[in-house]
Amino acid sequence: MESLEKLPNIGAILADRLRGAGVSDAEELRRLGAAAAFAKISGELPEDARSHTLFALEGAIRGTRWTSIPQDERATLASRVFDRGEI
């Protein structure tokens, strides 16, 4: 069982939020996907942290820093989650 903190972009605070929402480890995060995991914690996030947190989760699942995700893919993810109400 891989700990959340071993993933890129996930520090102690985000890991605690995820665990508090029932996402206990990296495998569970990968199973859920970024959008579903984000939906579980979005109510706790300040408005200015929402998109960065979504991208951080996606990067963690991919095993990369979120800034390495191409801009068009970030825009698609943000549109899917924020504009279409996946959360």
Side-chain angles (χ1 to χ4, degrees):
M1 184 161 53
E2 185 180 8
S3 122
L4 291 165
E5 289 90 348
K6 298 262 185 200
L7 299 175
N9 312 309
I10 307 240
I13 293 172
L14 183 51
D16 286 345
R17 284 186 172 137
L18 288 165
R19 284 189 195 99
V23 182
S24 59
D25 58 34
E27 183 178 320
E28 178 68 9
L29 176 60
R30 290 183 187 110
R31 187 187 71 71
L32 281 173
F38 178 79
K40 289 178 168 275
I41 64 169
S42 64
E44 300 178 33
L45 299 171
E47 187 66 32
D48 62 344
R50 292 171 56 81
S51 61
H52 290 131
T53 302
L54 174 63
F55 302 149
L57 294 170
E58 180 66 23
I61 290 167
R62 294 180 184 203
T64 189
R65 295 286 301 153
W66 72 267
T67 54
S68 298
I69 300 170
Q71 180 60 39
D72 62 325
E73 292 179 34
R74 283 187 267 162
T76 299
L77 178 61
S79 175
R80 195 177 87 223
V81 171
F82 299 123
D83 298 341
R84 295 187 198 153
E86 265 193 37
I87 58 168

